[in-house]
Amino acid sequence: MATIRPFKGIRPPKDLVEKVESRPYDVLSSEEARVEAGDNEMSLYHIIKPEIDFSPETSEYDPKVYEQAANNFKKFQDKGWLVQDEKPSYYIYAQTMNGKTQYGLVVGAFVDDYLNGTIKKHELTRKDKEEDRMKHVRVNDANIEPVFFAYPDNKVLDELINKYVKNHAPEYDFIAPIDGFGHQFWVISDANDIDVITKEFAKMPALYIADGHHRSAAAALVGAEKAKNNSNHKGDEEYNYFMAVCFQASQLTILDYNRVVKDLNGLTSAQFLEKLEQNFDVKKMGKEMYHPTGLHNFSLYLDGEWYSLTAKKGTYNDADPIGVLDVDISSRLILDEILGIKDLRTDKRIDFVGGIRGLNELKERVDRGEMKMALALYPVSMQQIMDIADSGKIMPPKATWFEPKLRSGLVIHKLSD
């Protein structure tokens, strides 16, 4: 069963939300954050990317940068740019992209559920990234940014969310700059509705991390750390929970996550295509952009031409949660076997492009000579992610790209009461 509880969110007043809210810390560089924040002293970037308050050569991992995050968090509260709710609440967070809206519930997720596997992951985490986020949580004594969970579709919760959407004006309602996606936010403080949500989650055998594995790990580990160091630990303290936005699995949109490679590992283009034919049906599509049409079909861009690659039977295993994945097929049979790229996390010859940028981004990077070839994949499904998480296996790196991304700064969870 999944254990959740409401919390007293720290949020911007309605008239300031568009001044405070921001993109998440890990989707932009320090320089991009510096530009986006501009002269807006209320921008959350001053808390989640506090290096922007220092000279550009200052490392984002400098101890004084973490200290600045805490100073700015206090400043935001002192000035009334962030205000804590009086009552523990759940929250509804709606995102609209290309006419499609998905509705999430913002909850306090249970640290022990992460540690015992009730909250399931599908990606490996890096210790250095975990430690960075742990430092940020520790110094602020808060989860400044939420993690992104999925849960099995639930009719009761769907009806409750629809009730709020139809009968209550949203607390926040704005279009985000840059991407133009819509964001709405409701507060659920009614005791009966809170009870319904808590009980429905308690019926769920698992929750699934969709995006934010490092934030999840950091939040849970800091919570466990606080419990260990508290001689009067009872188990009901606020640090036993961390902030998550939970969406029904069927509502989520996963885009393709594509690859661009700098060279052909000493092969000519003709030799590369010949080697591909051992495991793929290769068809030249010409100059017109070609999108993968389904599972096990890939799009290759090479020397100004597009190709369709269809994996031959026997090169994949549809009965295996990992073996069915196109990221596994392409990693094994193209990147590793032909191009000699063994570790997608560390090899400098490869880069990754989220599907939100479209195939044009792949074409442009190859056409300008930065990369030799590009490979576009058919998107992974949420069911595939859940199957892998249920099996206890781990997805290959750079397999999923969720859109829209959660905006940060709509609500914050403090670890002390």
Side-chain angles (χ1 to χ4, degrees):
M1 59 177 280
T3 301
I4 64 166
R5 80 176 189 185
F7 62 96
K8 296 178 183 177
I10 298 175
R11 316 184 280 111
K14 186 181 295 190
D15 61 331
L16 297 183
V17 65
E18 292 184 71
K19 284 280 192 180
V20 174
E21 65 88 24
S22 74
R23 292 197 281 165
Y25 86 100
D26 56 351
V27 302
L28 76 169
S29 67
S30 300
E31 185 53 37
E32 288 171 323
R34 195 184 305 274
V35 171
E36 285 190 26
D39 60 359
N40 175 17
E41 60 179 342
M42 298 184 196
S43 170
L44 197 78
Y45 290 132
H46 293 288
I47 300 174
I48 62 172
K49 302 283 285 184
E51 65 271 18
I52 69 173
D53 291 351
F54 299 92
S55 57
E57 64 271 12
T58 304
S59 168
E60 60 189 292
Y61 307 114
D62 190 306
K64 67 185 179 185
V65 170
Y66 294 102
E67 292 172 13
Q68 184 71 359
N71 292 337
N72 287 340
F73 184 35
K74 182 179 185 301
K75 172 184 172 182
F76 275 47
Q77 294 172 83
D78 290 344
K79 286 185 171 288
W81 303 341
L82 292 172
V83 181
Q84 188 163 27
D85 287 335
E86 294 182 1
K87 297 169 62 176
S89 301
Y90 289 127
Y91 305 89
I92 298 171
Y93 176 23
Q95 301 174 295
T96 301
M97 179 181 76
N98 300 331
K100 177 187 173 184
T101 302
Q102 60 190 34
Y103 297 93
L105 287 165
V106 189
V107 308
F110 193 33
V111 165
D112 283 0
D113 280 356
Y114 180 88
L115 300 176
N116 67 28
T118 299
I119 294 171
K120 297 190 175 186
K121 46 188 176 284
H122 64 266
E123 289 182 4
L124 294 174
T125 54
R126 283 173 40 184
K127 290 299 180 185
D128 58 337
K129 288 192 172 185
E130 278 184 20
E131 184 55 36
D132 165 54
R133 286 302 90 190
M134 289 175 72
K135 288 178 180 177
H136 198 267
V137 174
R138 286 189 197 109
V139 75
N140 289 294
D141 197 36
N143 309 128
I144 303 294
E145 298 182 273
V147 295
F148 183 173
F149 287 177
Y151 64 89
D153 288 10
N154 182 292
K155 185 178 180 181
V156 173
L157 294 177
D158 199 33
E159 290 175 350
L160 187 148
I161 290 169
N162 286 334
K163 178 184 74 173
Y164 272 82
V165 171
K166 290 178 180 178
N167 299 326
H168 299 267
E171 180 76 7
Y172 306 142
D173 189 353
F174 64 92
I175 303 295
I178 300 180
D179 59 29
F181 299 153
H183 301 267
Q184 295 174 303
F185 193 87
W186 290 262
V187 179
I188 301 176
S189 57
D190 178 81
N192 290 329
D193 291 334
I194 285 174
D195 187 55
V196 168
I197 294 170
T198 305
K199 288 179 176 177
E200 287 303 312
F201 271 83
K203 298 175 185 177
M204 298 177 190
L207 299 175
Y208 299 84
I209 301 174
D211 205 3
H213 280 75
H214 289 95
R215 270 170 280 177
S216 297
L221 291 172
V222 170
E225 184 180 84
K226 281 179 166 285
K228 182 179 179 181
N229 293 334
N230 182 4
S231 58
N232 296 315
H233 174 74
K234 297 177 181 177
D236 61 350
E237 297 88 353
E238 201 61 43
Y239 59 68
N240 292 289
Y241 296 82
F242 61 99
M243 182 170 60
V245 186
C246 306
F247 292 88
Q248 294 199 71
S250 65
Q251 292 186 359
L252 297 178
T253 300
I254 307 175
L255 301 182
D256 42 311
Y257 208 171
N258 303 315
R259 284 87 168 101
V260 285
V261 181
K262 289 184 177 181
D263 61 71
L264 298 182
N265 199 28
L267 301 172
T268 65
S269 295
Q271 290 170 331
F272 175 61
L273 291 169
E274 184 178 352
K275 284 185 175 293
L276 284 174
E277 289 176 347
Q278 296 174 18
N279 292 307
F280 298 87
D281 292 321
V282 180
K283 183 178 180 182
K284 189 174 182 178
M285 306 304 289
K287 303 287 186 183
E288 188 172 341
M289 205 168 293
Y290 176 75
H291 291 262
T293 57
L295 202 60
H296 309 330
N297 180 244
F298 304 82
S299 171
L300 169 70
Y301 185 65
L302 176 69
D303 297 337
E305 302 280 355
W306 291 90
Y307 295 82
S308 166
L309 311 180
T310 302
K312 294 179 179 179
K313 288 187 176 180
T315 62
Y316 53 85
N317 180 3
D318 282 343
D320 179 75
I322 298 292
V324 70
L325 296 176
D326 286 346
V327 287
D328 178 68
I329 296 169
S330 60
S331 294
R332 284 188 294 106
L333 303 181
I334 302 176
L335 301 177
D336 183 350
E337 187 174 306
I338 300 177
L339 298 178
I341 296 172
K342 306 292 183 182
D343 189 338
L344 301 188
R345 290 185 177 85
T346 60
D347 199 305
K348 302 300 184 185
R349 296 166 55 216
I350 190 169
D351 198 7
F352 305 89
V353 180
I356 192 69
R357 296 181 178 272
L359 296 190
N360 272 325
E361 175 82 4
L362 305 182
K363 182 179 185 298
E364 289 173 5
R365 293 185 70 174
V366 173
D367 286 349
R368 64 176 176 250
E370 176 191 346
M371 296 290 176
K372 177 60 179 175
M373 59 84 81
L375 190 68
L377 282 62
Y378 194 72
V380 172
S381 72
M382 193 64 221
Q383 187 59 56
Q384 287 177 320
I385 291 175
M386 293 167 73
D387 288 345
I388 288 168
D390 286 339
S391 73
K393 295 184 177 181
I394 297 297
M395 292 188 78
K398 307 294 185 181
T400 58
W401 185 276
F402 286 88
E403 283 289 349
K405 300 295 185 186
L406 302 177
R407 300 301 285 194
S408 296
L410 304 188
V411 64
I412 290 167
H413 172 243
K414 207 165 187 177
L415 300 188
S416 55
D417 294 329

